[in-house]
């Protein structure tokens, strides 16, 4: 009975996805999606993503304190296969496995030296890893301690100077902007605020090769997900020129939570996103890519 029920649910979901496959609004163009499967009980829940400059190598983290790296095989610019190494556990500061309540890893950023920075949601904090075997603590400011349970540090990004940026999934009120905190020289400050628009919540962030701040947001309606990416120009003390690059229809994609921004061989900005399947059989780990056409005009390789 259970198998028949699962089959019916799966068929209904597939039909709904097909009906929802209309193009998304905004300035970015949907390029392709790829469903990634892996026969490993630790696979799933992927919520943070980083790609190499050429979009061929990736690192991802799950929300159960695991990390995995590998390569993306492409044909005509589209992902056709994922080749990954082993899924490794992210240990705590003592080199020990993390308890479930502490191991809710959500955001990922990679430094130029390969060091991984991970933001956590259960107990709001950011840790650094030279290897997955032991965490190095970053300072934890008082304002991290007052964040909402299960809605704290979902997103993490790093700029060309090695400074980290993080923000919570929820700001505390529908009319309150998202605070953006910056980590520089051992100290957290709050240089930016991002206005909330509608029912979307912040789940991923990256700073593109164009030096702009990209924010991935998600809205859960009760029957499925919608996704949105906004882009901002960055100065030292402000995010300006807010642009909505795309806003997807309900069920267009799965639960997109991680984003990596890079420039492809044609000079266009690519948005590569990954979905958190929540370890549910009726969801999927999806890699979704959009291209920003206007970025061709500002490519350094073009006049």
């Amino acid at each position: 009975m259970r198998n028949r029920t699962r089959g019916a649910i799966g068929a209904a979901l597939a039909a709904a996805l097909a009906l929802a496959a209309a193009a998304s609004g905004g300035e970015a163009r949907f390029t392709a999606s790829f469903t990634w499967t892996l026969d490993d009980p630790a696979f799933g829940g992927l919520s943070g993503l980083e790609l190499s400059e050429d979009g061929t190598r990736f690192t991802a983290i799950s929300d159960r304190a695991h990390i995995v790296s590998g390569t993306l095989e492409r044909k005509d610019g589209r992902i056709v296969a994922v080749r990954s190494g082993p899924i490794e556990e992210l240990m705590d500061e003592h080199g020990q496995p993390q308890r479930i309540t502490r191991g809710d890893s959500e955001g990922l950023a990679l430094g130029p030296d390969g060091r991984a920075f991970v933001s956590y949601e259960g107990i709001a904090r950011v840790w650094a890893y030279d290897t997955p075997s032991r965490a190095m603590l970053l300072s934890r400011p008082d304002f991290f301690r007052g964040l909402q349970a299960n809605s704290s540090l979902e997103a993490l990004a790093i700029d060309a100077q090695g400074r980290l940026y993080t923000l919570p999934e929820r700001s505390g009120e529908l009319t309150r902007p998202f605070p953006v905190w910056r980590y520089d020289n051992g100290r957290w400050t709050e240089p930016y605020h991002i206005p909330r628009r509608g029912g979307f919540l912040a789940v991923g962030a990256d700073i593109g090769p164009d030096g702009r701040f990209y924010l991935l947001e998600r809205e859960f309606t009760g029957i499925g997900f919608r996704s949105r990416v906004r882009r901002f120009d960055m100065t030292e003390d402000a995010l300006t020129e807010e642009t909505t690059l795309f806003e997807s229809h309900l069920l267009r994609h799965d639960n997109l939570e991680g984003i990596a921004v890079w420039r492809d061989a044609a000079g266009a900005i690519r948005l590569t996103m990954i979905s958190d399947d929540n370890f549910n059989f009726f969801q999927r780990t999806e890699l979704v890519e959009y291209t920003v056409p206007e970025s061709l005009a500002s490519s350094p390789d073009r006049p």
Side-chain angles (χ1 to χ4, degrees), residues 236-250:
E236 281 298 301
D237 56 7
L239 295 176
T240 62
E241 301 299 323
E242 175 185 340
T243 301
T244 297
L245 295 179
F246 80 86
E247 185 173 311
S248 70
H249 297 295
L250 179 64

Side-chain angles (χ1 to χ4, degrees), residues 276-297:
D276 174 359
D277 68 355
N278 293 301
F279 291 91
N280 285 328
F281 72 90
F282 53 84
Q283 290 184 253
R284 64 198 187 280
T285 298
E286 184 184 22
L287 286 157
V288 174
E289 294 195 318
Y290 280 73
T291 302
V292 185
E294 70 170 29
S295 61
L296 288 167

Side-chain angles (χ1 to χ4, degrees), residues 122-288:
I123 298 175
R125 66 201 189 280
V126 178
W127 281 356
Y129 292 88
D130 285 333
T131 68
S133 60
R134 185 181 295 271
M136 292 168 284
L137 310 183
L138 273 61
S139 63
R140 186 168 180 252
D142 288 340
F143 44 76
F144 281 7
R145 304 175 193 276
L147 296 176
Q148 290 176 257
N150 198 38
S151 298
S152 63
L153 304 182
E154 280 268 349
L156 189 66
I158 190 168
D159 67 15
Q161 300 177 55
R163 300 179 296 183
L164 296 171
Y165 299 81
T166 189
L167 67 157
E169 181 179 3
R170 298 176 184 270
S171 62
E173 294 181 9
L174 292 175
T175 57
R176 180 184 298 167
F178 296 110
V180 180
W181 297 297
R182 179 168 60 206
Y183 183 79
D184 186 23
N185 290 322
R187 179 170 171 263
W188 290 98
T189 58
E190 191 176 318
Y192 306 136
H193 295 87
I194 295 177
R196 289 184 64 161
R197 309 282 189 208
F200 287 89
L201 303 176
V203 292
D206 199 12
I207 296 172
D210 55 0
R212 289 162 161 169
F213 189 91
Y214 291 77
L215 178 66
L216 171 62
E217 298 169 288
R218 171 196 62 204
E219 181 181 37
F220 180 60
T221 66
I223 61 171
F225 301 95
R226 299 176 64 216
S227 298
R228 179 173 70 191
V229 170
R230 286 188 284 168
R231 183 189 64 199
F232 302 84
D233 289 352
M234 299 179 70
T235 66
E236 281 298 301
D237 56 7
L239 295 176
T240 62
E241 301 299 323
E242 175 185 340
T243 301
T244 297
L245 295 179
F246 80 86
E247 185 173 311
S248 70
H249 297 295
L250 179 64
L251 297 176
R252 179 70 173 94
H253 304 299
D254 208 288
N255 178 28
L256 299 181
E257 286 203 6
I259 182 171
V261 183
W262 55 288
R263 195 182 297 278
D264 65 21
I269 291 290
R270 290 275 193 111
L271 315 176
T272 302
M273 292 156 284
I274 197 165
S275 65
D276 174 359
D277 68 355
N278 293 301
F279 291 91
N280 285 328
F281 72 90
F282 53 84
Q283 290 184 253
R284 64 198 187 280
T285 298
E286 184 184 22
L287 286 157
V288 174

Side-chain angles (χ1 to χ4, degrees), residues 13-162:
L13 180 58
L17 288 169
L19 290 172
S24 303
E27 299 187 7
R29 181 180 66 245
F30 172 70
T31 303
S33 65
F34 177 84
T35 298
W36 179 19
T37 60
L38 191 64
D39 186 17
D40 187 320
F43 178 74
L46 299 178
S47 57
L49 179 68
E50 284 276 64
L51 263 61
S52 59
E53 290 184 0
D54 62 359
T56 61
R57 300 182 305 280
F58 76 91
T59 301
I61 58 168
S62 80
D63 56 13
R64 295 187 183 179
H66 286 87
I67 188 167
V68 60
S69 297
T71 59
L72 303 177
E73 294 187 10
R74 297 177 181 273
K75 182 177 181 181
D76 299 326
R78 300 187 176 196
I79 299 170
V80 295
V82 178
R83 309 298 181 192
S84 65
I87 298 175
E88 299 181 83
E89 192 168 0
L90 291 168
M91 300 299 183
D92 67 12
E93 68 273 34
H94 305 295
Q96 300 298 314
Q98 301 187 59
R99 299 191 305 271
I100 293 177
T101 54
R102 300 191 71 210
D104 189 1
S105 47
E106 296 287 349
L108 174 67
L110 297 182
D113 58 357
R115 175 178 288 186
F117 298 91
V118 177
S119 64
Y120 287 87
E121 187 175 44
I123 298 175
R125 66 201 189 280
V126 178
W127 281 356
Y129 292 88
D130 285 333
T131 68
S133 60
R134 185 181 295 271
M136 292 168 284
L137 310 183
L138 273 61
S139 63
R140 186 168 180 252
D142 288 340
F143 44 76
F144 281 7
R145 304 175 193 276
L147 296 176
Q148 290 176 257
N150 198 38
S151 298
S152 63
L153 304 182
E154 280 268 349
L156 189 66
I158 190 168
D159 67 15
Q161 300 177 55

